[in-house]
């Protein structure tokens, strides 16, 4: 068998995602044009699938950008009979942009918007949550874990993006705060027996961790 090319696999995974709403396509086009790091269609659809699988009603997102990942979770909530997804981002322009997209998609009633630092917002928000999704600045991943662990219900899912960090985790000379943050977080969660953890090499690598 010939060697698998990473990009070929990723393109194939995206090709398997069913047709999606025009608004999601527009958000993808904006990300492409502006080089904004959204999770993209394969991971978005995966988040939607996971939310459906656990029949999620309460979801907390850390680092929501302009609401692309939020839209996938909200889409699942519609099908699980309603609930809430918390959108958190500290940038006003992104928060407003997210609101516009999510209103247009008919998801406004399902989303609670927070324009603030995400970990502190999670700390101050009543849980427990069925799903917590983490996509904040990578250097801050390790310090987010204890708060996430406290706020996620037993049997809930933690989904964390960028766990391959564009391949930088394989470069031993890369000691940037972001790369060290991804390493440290991975070590913490995989060495804690309260979690059942796997890393899916989809796009930039997503960890899905089940809290016992
Ligand atoms: C990777 S982007 C989010 C993409 C989004 N999850 C999606 O897939 O559509 C991360 C966003 O969260 C913001 N952010 C990073 N760290 C944050 C923090 N600690 N609190 C709040 N926002 C944060 C960044 O400024 C950026 O807008």
């Amino acid at each position: 068998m010939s060697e698998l090319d990473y990009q070929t696999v990723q393109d194939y995974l995206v090709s398997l995602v069913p047709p999606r709403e025009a608004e999601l396509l527009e958000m993808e086009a904006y990300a492409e044009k502006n080089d904004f790091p959204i999770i993209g269609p394969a991971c978005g659809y995966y988040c939607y699938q996971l939310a459906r699988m656990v029949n999620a009603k309460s979801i907390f997102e850390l680092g929501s950008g302009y609401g692309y990942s939020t839209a996938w979770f909200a889409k699942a909530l519609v099908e699980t009979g309603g609930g809430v997804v918390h959108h958190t981002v500290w940038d006003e322009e992104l928060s407003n942009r997210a609101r516009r997209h999510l209103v247009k998609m008919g998801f406004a009633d399902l989303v609670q918007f927070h324009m603030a630092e995400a970990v502190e917002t999670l700390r101050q928000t009543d849980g427990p949550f069925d799903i917590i999704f983490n996509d904040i600045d990578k250097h801050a991943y390790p310090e987010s874990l204890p708060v996430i662990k406290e706020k996620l219900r037993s049997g809930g899912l933690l989904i964390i993006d960028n766990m391959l960090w564009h391949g930088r985790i394989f470069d031993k000379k890369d000691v940037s705060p972001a790369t060290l943050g991804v390493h440290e977080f991975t070590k913490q969660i995989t060495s804690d027996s309260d979690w059942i953890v796997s890393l899916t090499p989809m796009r930039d690598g997503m960890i899905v961790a089940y809290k016992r």
Side-chain angles (χ1 to χ4, degrees):
M1 194 179 109
S2 61
E3 260 185 47
L4 279 178
D5 171 69
Y6 194 77
Q7 192 53 50
T8 304
V9 174
Q10 298 309 313
D11 293 344
Y12 178 62
L13 297 182
V14 171
S15 79
L16 298 179
V17 177
R20 49 201 181 276
E21 291 80 353
E23 194 71 14
L24 284 175
L25 295 174
E26 202 179 294
M27 292 163 100
E28 289 164 19
Y30 179 89
E32 178 79 28
K33 187 164 173 229
N34 296 280
D35 203 18
F36 190 92
I38 59 168
I39 56 171
C43 287
Y45 189 68
Y46 186 40
C47 287
Y48 160 76
Q49 178 193 19
L50 291 167
R52 286 296 316 270
M53 284 165 70
V54 300
N55 198 31
K57 303 279 186 208
S58 57
I59 300 171
F60 196 100
E61 273 198 326
L62 300 107
S64 304
Y66 58 87
Y68 179 79
S69 49
T70 322
W72 282 104
F73 284 121
K75 189 172 148 77
L77 289 179
V78 171
E79 296 171 19
T80 62
V84 63
V85 51
H86 292 262
H87 174 284
T88 64
V89 76
W90 48 23
D91 181 287
E92 186 176 5
E93 197 274 324
L94 289 172
S95 186
N96 290 339
R97 182 178 290 276
R99 205 180 287 263
R100 286 199 296 275
H101 284 299
L102 294 160
V103 166
K104 244 170 129 180
M105 294 182 84
F107 295 150
D109 292 348
L110 299 165
V111 184
Q112 198 163 323
F113 293 91
H114 308 269
M115 205 181 67
E117 200 288 314
V119 181
E120 191 49 38
T121 307
L122 175 59
R123 193 179 276 121
Q124 288 170 14
T125 306
D126 287 340
F129 297 97
D130 300 316
I131 292 182
I132 297 181
F133 171 69
N134 198 1
D135 198 8
I136 57 172
D137 288 348
K138 311 312 152 194
H139 69 85
Y141 270 11
E143 70 196 43
S144 70
L145 189 54
V147 186
I148 290 170
K149 190 172 174 183
E150 188 199 316
K151 294 287 181 172
L152 189 68
R153 73 165 164 85
S154 290
L157 300 182
L158 166 59
I159 308 170
I160 320 128
D161 194 31
N162 305 109
M163 298 314 288
L164 293 173
W165 199 220
H166 312 288
R168 291 173 62 178
I169 55 160
F170 302 114
D171 179 359
K172 290 199 166 50
K173 288 197 252 26
D174 187 341
V175 289
S176 62
T179 303
L180 293 181
V182 173
H183 278 304
E184 178 58 24
F185 186 91
T186 307
K187 198 167 85 192
Q188 282 175 356
I189 197 158
T190 54
S191 59
D192 181 343
S193 59
D194 289 342
W195 297 100
I196 303 173
V197 184
S198 61
L199 197 166
T200 302
M202 191 180 271
R203 203 187 68 96
D204 198 22
M206 268 189 162
I207 273 185
V208 177
Y210 173 87
K211 184 177 157 185
R212 291 184 198 273

